[in-house]
Amino acid sequence: KSLEEKKWAGSLRADWILNQISFCKNKLWQESDILNEEAFLAHFYGVGYDQTMVSELFSIYKRQLRLNQVIDFDDCIYRVVVMLKNDPELLAKYQDTFRYFLVDEFQDTNFSQLTFVENLCREHRNVCVVGDDDQSIYSWRGAKSDIFQSFEKIFPETKFVKLEQNYRSTQPILDAANIVIKNNSGRIPKILHTDSNLKKPVTLATKLDEFEEADWVAKKCLAFLGR
């Protein structure tokens, strides 16, 4: 049947479709992978979305990109990883050209980005990553909560260094943060501390919405400035 004849035609939002396509690209999936991957259904929390639908839409979307001679944001990594996978000589060229790598904000790395780093670093294995798994906020773009554990499996010779001293916050703030973040699942244990001697307690303020919260913060800042 054609796309128009499908029972789901005309019932989907464009932003929802783009979100699913982005998810698939971050997983480095092709259309056939979408049809075969049980993980795809797990992504939708068992709601039971039609994999055939997403596979067809993914194919149509990629065709339209080619026709318009453009790439989207996810293609910046997706197409490069696929290209390096399919061209060993090109991969060897870049492995030899770039021998040392530093990846910042590593907690927000997704599967395609990790694969990109793995491919380029496989030969010389000179790579340093910096990040904090308690600050990961990009799960909606495929960031993996266990990315550091995945990295250590790929590079078992990794030397792990914890940076637990904080230079900006007071100890009461860090104590409150430690209590909250210790409940995060799959995290690397760490205790934040500081040499600051300031002991002013943390203020807890509950507001109805983000506007009331912003107004409260702004008034506090003005008060501190004496205005």
Side-chain angles (χ1 to χ4, degrees), residues 29-201:
W29 286 349
Q30 302 289 345
E31 292 88 331
S32 58
D33 298 313
I34 297 172
L35 295 174
N36 297 326
E37 282 283 356
E38 292 183 4
F40 176 84
L41 291 181
H43 168 61
F44 297 106
Y45 308 102
V47 175
Y49 286 101
D50 188 341
Q51 290 169 269
T52 302
M53 170 192 69
V54 178
S55 179
E56 286 195 30
L57 291 172
F58 189 24
S59 180
I60 293 170
Y61 178 75
K62 292 201 299 183
R63 182 193 67 193
Q64 290 305 119
L65 289 179
R66 289 193 300 271
L67 289 174
N68 288 281
Q69 298 183 340
V70 297
I71 64 173
D72 64 15
F73 181 80
D74 296 306
D75 281 336
C76 295
I77 297 294
Y78 176 75
R79 291 176 65 88
V80 172
V81 173
V82 172
M83 179 175 60
L84 294 178
K85 177 182 178 181
N86 295 332
D87 192 337
E89 290 187 6
L90 184 65
L91 175 60
K93 173 186 176 181
Y94 284 107
Q95 286 177 336
D96 189 57
T97 302
F98 302 102
R99 302 192 176 196
Y100 298 90
F101 297 87
L102 170 63
V103 183
D104 196 14
E105 302 292 355
F106 190 69
Q107 73 276 358
D108 294 323
T109 302
N110 60 37
F111 178 75
S112 62
Q113 293 166 335
L114 178 62
T115 303
F116 178 59
V117 172
E118 178 185 4
N119 287 337
L120 289 180
C121 301
R122 187 184 302 135
E123 182 67 22
H124 299 288
R125 308 182 76 78
N126 298 316
V127 54
C128 173
V129 300
V130 182
D132 181 359
D133 54 352
D134 289 319
Q135 296 187 45
S136 181
I137 60 173
Y138 282 95
S139 60
W140 57 279
R141 288 203 61 85
K144 295 157 54 72
S145 59
D146 60 348
I147 191 68
F148 289 95
Q149 291 90 331
S150 298
F151 181 85
E152 288 187 281
K153 290 178 180 177
I154 297 171
F155 300 99
E157 67 274 28
T158 297
K159 179 181 179 182
F160 189 79
V161 179
K162 291 184 181 182
L163 303 177
E164 297 175 291
Q165 183 171 359
N166 185 289
Y167 297 91
R168 294 185 294 183
S169 299
T170 63
Q171 194 59 50
I173 291 176
L174 296 179
D175 289 340
N178 286 327
I179 292 173
V180 173
I181 63 179
K182 73 177 182 180
N183 297 306
N184 292 346
S185 59
R187 66 185 293 267
I188 298 172
K190 64 185 78 70
I191 299 296
L192 305 178
H193 63 87
T194 180
D195 288 339
S196 170
N197 293 319
L198 297 177
K199 302 297 182 181
K200 187 174 181 179

